[in-house]
Amino acid sequence: MVDWTRGGPDVLVVLDRRAGPLGIQIQDQLRAAIRDRRLGAGERLPSTRRLAELLGVSRGTIVDVYEQLLAEGYVESAVGSGTRVAAMPAGGPAGQAPGVVAASSSRPIEADFEYGIPDLGSVPLTDWSWAVSKATRTLPTAELGDEDPAGSRHLREVVTAYHRRVRSGCAVAEDAVVVSGFRQGLALALATLAQHGIQRIALEDPGPREHDVIARRAGLDAVPVPVDDHGLDVGRLRETGARAVLLTPAHQCPTGVALGPSRRRDLVAWADEVDGVILEDDYDAEFRYDRQPVGSLQGLNPARVIALGSVSKTLAPAIRLGWVLAPPRFVPGIVEEKRLSSRGAPGLDQEALALLMESGRFDRHLRRVREIYRARRDVLAAEAEAAFGPGRLHGLAAGCHALLRLSDGTSERAVVATAATMGVRVKGLAHYRFAPTGAEIEQRPPALVLGFGNVSELQIRRGIRTLAKAVRHQTAP
Ligand SMILES: Cc1ncc(COP(=O)(O)O)c(C=O)c1O
């Protein structure tokens, strides 16, 4: 038990150093303590330095934890009085209420630049309900029983045809396993790679923070590889000794760069040299605006690439369907992992997705939302240039997020925290760094990751102006 302030609150924070990022563990436990009222409204949390000392973690980790809790409305911070527990409404923190959420206890959200959410107002619910209704009427009764854990033959055929047509892939139905979204596909693929003797996986740094946790749970050692303006640094990958790598080649998450042509060739050569495997996260390749489509790596070297797809960006995360397209030697292992974990993917939903894609409604939806995202991106680019000057926004050629580079000397953390108090939710690039320490974060060029999938053009205009104020506020002498 950590008794963290003299006369202050006494809350149990127990860290398991083998169980994933410590910051996430601390965040979860503090949130639970606030929700359960073990930490009451107005109680003062210890300083970041003090809590870092008590828990034996870096100060940067605690700063990130407090920023996250601030952005979610669990705590408040005021100059001179530190960080205090916010008053909770009866149903929980304001940040969890449906509809308008709050960045601090009372401030309504003006713009939510959180990464990763597509335009929820554009989810094609009428088309989806048509597809579910048709699936319910037409799926043979026999297929309501025990189904193939690899997924419905129909969806595997439709998805692989789509991947060949749109992503220049070359997989066929026998190479495909239907899963509950990318994350499950990754977990099942990694468990299978571990059984094939692969012990270490390299991950993009910066990159999505959960992937190292998923890798460790599958029994693999996860190591970072830096990303630069041409994507993953293949030279540094070679130095890691890993035989597997996970990357986002079409639009790097979160920097937005595409893997350069010579890097693509080098990567494929690396996989052949080390008898390795490339896991291709193809999460938002459908959304590109003014550059040539970048084909899937799977089409380039099908014997070495496992392509992971999902409808979380193209339709909605709630549909929870995705696919793994794997070289034949890995398919039985992935199917067996799927069978053991959940027997198979939901049959009616699989049929509905197959019908949606086959009918042309899926493509029509993509054409429609691509124009919505293009318009948002154009507003974002114009506003960012007006507020921050030219050349600050990167990764705009594709996807639904961009990287805003801040001037050297700007504190990314302070901007994120200040913006939260002004009603703008955003994350700094440090959030995507592989196990960063406070000192490392300070040395890296500051930047913000701006998701623009689920913010209106008006919110973008207001949000960017507010962000510019947040930057001025924190850099003012
Ligand atoms: C980098 C990346 N990969 C994949 C996904 C899709 O994940 P899932 O299908 O588990 O929702 C996302 C969505 O947020 C993502 O950001």
Side-chain angles (χ1 to χ4, degrees):
M1 177 169 309
V2 173
D3 173 7
W4 54 26
T5 51
R6 251 164 290 154
D10 188 347
V11 166
L12 187 67
V13 175
V14 182
L15 298 182
D16 178 352
R17 284 173 198 275
R18 289 158 309 167
L22 298 178
I24 306 274
Q25 295 184 40
I26 301 168
Q27 251 177 52
D28 287 348
Q29 294 182 38
L30 288 183
R31 259 193 223 103
I34 295 171
R35 252 191 250 116
D36 301 343
R37 309 278 199 272
R38 280 177 285 135
L39 280 173
E43 294 217 59
R44 186 173 172 165
L45 299 188
S47 70
T48 50
R49 188 182 308 278
R50 173 99 182 103
L51 187 52
E53 268 168 30
L54 285 163
L55 295 176
V57 300
S58 77
R59 182 155 168 243
T61 301
I62 303 296
V63 171
D64 284 350
V65 166
Y66 280 14
E67 264 175 28
Q68 185 63 31
L69 296 179
L70 183 73
E72 291 174 9
Y74 283 87
V75 300
E76 293 172 317
S77 130
V79 179
S81 79
T83 303
R84 291 179 184 276
V85 175
M88 290 289 124
Q96 294 191 332
V100 175
V101 290
S104 67
S105 60
S106 55
R107 180 89 197 200
I109 282 281
E110 182 174 71
D112 189 347
F113 291 117
E114 267 294 335
Y115 163 83
I117 315 284
D119 186 28
L120 299 181
S122 296
V123 179
L125 291 176
T126 309
D127 286 344
W128 182 249
S129 114
W130 166 85
V132 170
S133 152
K134 181 158 180 193
T136 312
R137 279 183 282 113
T138 57
L139 195 70
T141 315
E143 292 192 27
L144 295 173
D146 230 357
E147 53 180 310
D148 186 344
S152 89
R153 174 91 203 170
H154 187 189
L155 182 58
R156 287 184 290 132
E157 275 170 359
V158 169
V159 154
T160 47
Y162 172 79
H163 193 257
R164 290 194 301 269
R165 173 168 62 85
V166 175
R167 305 290 303 120
S168 311
C170 59
V172 292
E174 286 69 22
D175 305 324
V177 184
V178 180
V179 290
S180 301
F182 163 83
R183 284 168 178 75
Q184 186 186 47
L186 178 63
L188 305 183
L190 293 182
T192 305
L193 293 187
Q195 283 156 22
H196 280 251
I198 291 197
Q199 294 170 346
R200 176 175 301 163
I201 182 163
L203 304 176
E204 291 173 311
D205 183 18
R209 286 281 289 274
E210 288 169 345
H211 295 173
D212 47 331
V213 181
I214 296 176
R216 286 193 197 101
R217 290 200 177 184
L220 275 77
D221 177 22
V223 293
V225 175
V227 168
D228 62 22
D229 292 345
H230 306 284
L232 180 108
D233 183 335
V234 182
R236 297 287 292 276
L237 169 64
R238 283 200 163 82
E239 292 165 12
T240 64
R243 281 178 52 220
V245 63
L246 170 64
L247 78 168
T248 43
H251 186 232
Q252 206 272 331
C253 171
T255 63
V257 297
L259 189 68
S262 65
R263 293 272 173 97
R264 286 166 69 89
R265 286 191 295 275
D266 268 11
L267 184 68
V268 166
W270 162 85
D272 285 334
E273 277 159 40
V274 302
D275 186 20
V277 181
I278 299 166
L279 293 110
E280 177 177 32
D281 177 358
D282 210 20
Y283 68 113
D284 72 354
E286 282 82 358
F287 302 122
R288 91 199 97 71
Y289 312 109
D290 38 28
R291 74 162 193 230
Q292 290 299 311
V294 188
S296 162
L297 289 172
Q298 191 274 340
L300 213 56
N301 193 345
R304 296 272 170 218
V305 177
I306 298 181
L308 298 139
S310 161
V311 298
S312 285
K313 290 276 197 276
T314 49
L315 292 174
I319 293 181
R320 302 299 332 128
L321 281 174
W323 47 89
V324 180
L325 311 179
R329 65 188 180 287
F330 298 129
V331 173
I334 298 172
V335 172
E336 181 61 358
E337 289 295 322
K338 177 66 185 162
R339 190 184 70 79
L340 292 173
S341 76
S342 59
R343 192 159 159 175
L348 283 168
D349 288 355
Q350 290 188 71
E351 180 62 6
L353 181 58
L355 292 169
L356 192 80
M357 294 176 87
E358 214 172 33
S359 68
R361 286 169 168 83
F362 183 72
D363 282 22
R364 186 179 64 191
H365 165 69
L366 289 181
R367 283 196 297 276
R368 203 165 64 80
V369 282
R370 197 178 289 132
E371 290 318 306
I372 294 175
Y373 294 143
R374 183 198 299 275
R376 288 182 186 170
R377 178 202 73 147
D378 290 348
V379 170
L380 180 68
E383 289 295 328
E385 178 156 345
F388 296 95
R392 296 249 160 228
L393 206 55
H394 298 261
L396 280 174
C400 303
H401 71 271
L403 193 73
L404 178 69
R405 292 199 192 279
L406 303 173
S407 325
D408 286 347
T410 310
S411 163
E412 192 181 294
R413 282 192 214 134
V415 172
V416 170
T418 310
T421 65
M422 295 175 163
V424 173
R425 199 199 299 262
V426 68
K427 286 213 168 67
L429 189 56
H431 179 81
Y432 296 85
R433 295 288 186 188
F434 204 94
T437 65
E440 276 170 358
I441 291 169
E442 290 305 345
Q443 282 159 20
R444 286 170 161 155
L448 302 176
V449 178
L450 299 175
F452 57 87
N454 200 32
V455 265
S456 69
E457 291 176 28
L458 181 65
Q459 288 168 332
I460 294 173
R461 285 198 183 90
R462 290 190 177 146
I464 290 296
R465 288 172 200 176
T466 306
L467 268 184
K469 272 191 220 146
V471 170
R472 281 198 299 275
H473 181 77
Q474 76 77 42
T475 51

